[in-house]
Amino acid sequence: MPRLLDRAKMTLKATDVGLSLRPVDPHLRFLKRVFGALGGAAAVDVGASDGFYSRVLASCFDMVVSLEPNPILAARLGEVLPANCLVLAAAAGAAHGRATLRVPRYAHEEGHYRATLSDENQFAGTPVQGVDTVEVEVTPLDDLLRVSQRRVAVVKIDTEGFELPVLAGGRGLLVRHQPVMVVEIDRRQNPAADEVFDLLTAEGQSLALVERDRLVRLDRRQFQRLQADLAGAGRALGYEPVNYLAWSARDDGKIAPFVRAAPAALQSLLDGAAPAKSPQAALQPSKA
């Protein structure tokens, strides 16, 4: 039986939450440049988790709404994020209600950052020692932000497989503000990854993979190929790409300077060839 998340026994240090960008986060440093070019007054961080994205967004916009359903993470974020971040201990979804947040436990750490509302996410990859649960409030993004008069320039979503319900509950926001979307899409967490792609690219919107120093534009076939072999992309690049950025024609001129051709190793995979290891990947120690 899953056990309930025990807030009295499980604590986090401030250093566990995103207080600064580390050298291992080059894609966040790159995205900060992208966000800075957009303009706009506000941003939304759905699944704020460790706070890395919220801090980057807070440096670029006047206001950031940071949604985090995990009560332990939400409490800590309220203590460490900048004053222009409004932390809401809530989950975004398709409709009002309550849902069960599952938090995996691993042999040497709690899995706060992989907690999910999705029943489809079975925590593939690292063996799970157990799962804690907590009931959380779920509210559509449209209702959470209905009273805001600020233009929302960016919406970031990282919900470990719960992306479609989040997007379904934010259709009004997406139509009204046409924000740039940064979404983690991983078929191993979300079998409906193709549906997320289709929703993000509706009405001619563009979608790109967030690389460490560029955006790599993808069509549906390339997206599916990448999703089919994220492990192969990881071997080719030295890390597994999971974040995608979508934008409307309104922001095309602002985004275009950041769009570049894919690195050779990644392009081979997108073209359907077996990718060779990149130089940095070849230097990584074997896990065998």
Side-chain angles (χ1 to χ4, degrees):
M1 288 285 294
R3 69 182 187 184
L4 293 178
L5 192 64
D6 190 337
R7 298 185 64 177
K9 296 180 180 178
M10 303 170 72
T11 59
L12 293 176
K13 298 175 292 184
T15 52
D16 292 332
V17 184
L19 297 178
S20 62
L21 292 182
R22 304 171 190 161
V24 296
D25 300 314
H27 81 285
L28 280 175
R29 297 182 186 278
F30 167 68
L31 280 175
K32 183 176 180 178
R33 292 167 47 206
V34 178
F35 298 155
L38 292 175
V44 181
D45 185 357
V46 183
S49 187
D50 52 21
F52 279 177
Y53 272 93
S54 285
R55 286 189 65 86
V56 170
L57 292 166
S59 70
C60 300
F61 301 102
D62 295 336
M63 178 182 180
V64 178
V65 179
S66 304
L67 277 72
E68 176 49 56
N70 186 323
I72 293 175
L73 293 183
R76 180 55 63 192
L77 290 172
E79 297 174 2
V80 301
L81 287 180
N84 61 333
C85 289
L86 172 63
V87 178
L88 300 179
H96 287 279
R98 295 183 65 80
T100 300
L101 182 74
R102 296 183 297 123
V103 184
R105 278 181 277 116
Y106 299 104
H108 302 294
E109 62 179 353
E110 301 289 350
H112 292 288
Y113 307 126
R114 295 196 64 189
T116 183
L117 292 169
S118 171
D119 294 332
E120 302 293 337
N121 186 346
Q122 298 302 311
F123 308 116
T126 307
V128 174
Q129 304 295 309
V131 177
D132 299 324
T133 62
V134 60
E135 293 296 304
V136 299
E137 295 289 338
V138 179
T139 304
L141 269 182
D142 284 346
D143 289 350
L144 282 169
L145 303 175
R146 193 179 302 280
V147 297
S148 176
Q149 300 301 312
R150 301 170 184 260
R151 182 197 160 224
V152 176
V154 175
V155 176
K156 167 261 182 183
I157 302 173
D158 182 355
T159 52
E160 302 294 318
F162 203 62
E163 295 80 24
L164 274 179
V166 172
L167 291 167
R171 289 183 182 276
L173 168 70
L174 302 185
V175 171
R176 185 167 64 253
H177 295 272
Q178 297 181 40
V180 169
M181 307 288 295
V182 182
V183 184
E184 181 184 76
I185 313 174
D186 188 332
R187 187 174 289 165
R188 294 167 300 186
Q189 301 171 356
N190 185 358
D194 289 354
E195 295 179 50
V196 178
F197 176 94
D198 291 339
L199 198 157
L200 290 175
T201 56
E203 301 178 5
Q205 290 175 304
S206 300
L207 184 135
L209 176 69
V210 179
E211 262 289 297
R212 295 185 171 193
D213 61 351
R214 71 192 72 187
L215 299 173
V216 177
R217 198 186 298 261
L218 300 176
D219 59 28
R220 197 173 195 273
R221 177 188 57 82
Q222 291 171 323
F223 171 80
Q224 290 175 325
R225 187 161 284 155
L226 186 61
Q227 284 289 320
D229 194 10
L230 283 170
R235 290 190 296 273
L237 298 171
Y239 59 93
E240 291 190 11
V242 291
N243 288 303
Y244 298 84
L245 185 144
W247 70 97
S248 68
R250 182 182 67 183
D251 289 308
D252 197 53
K254 300 173 183 176
I255 298 294
F258 301 100
V259 178
R260 295 167 52 195
L266 175 60
Q267 191 63 55
S268 294
L269 186 144
L270 296 177
D271 291 339
K277 279 189 176 182
S278 66
Q280 70 265 33
L283 294 175
Q284 298 296 318
S286 171
K287 295 182 179 180

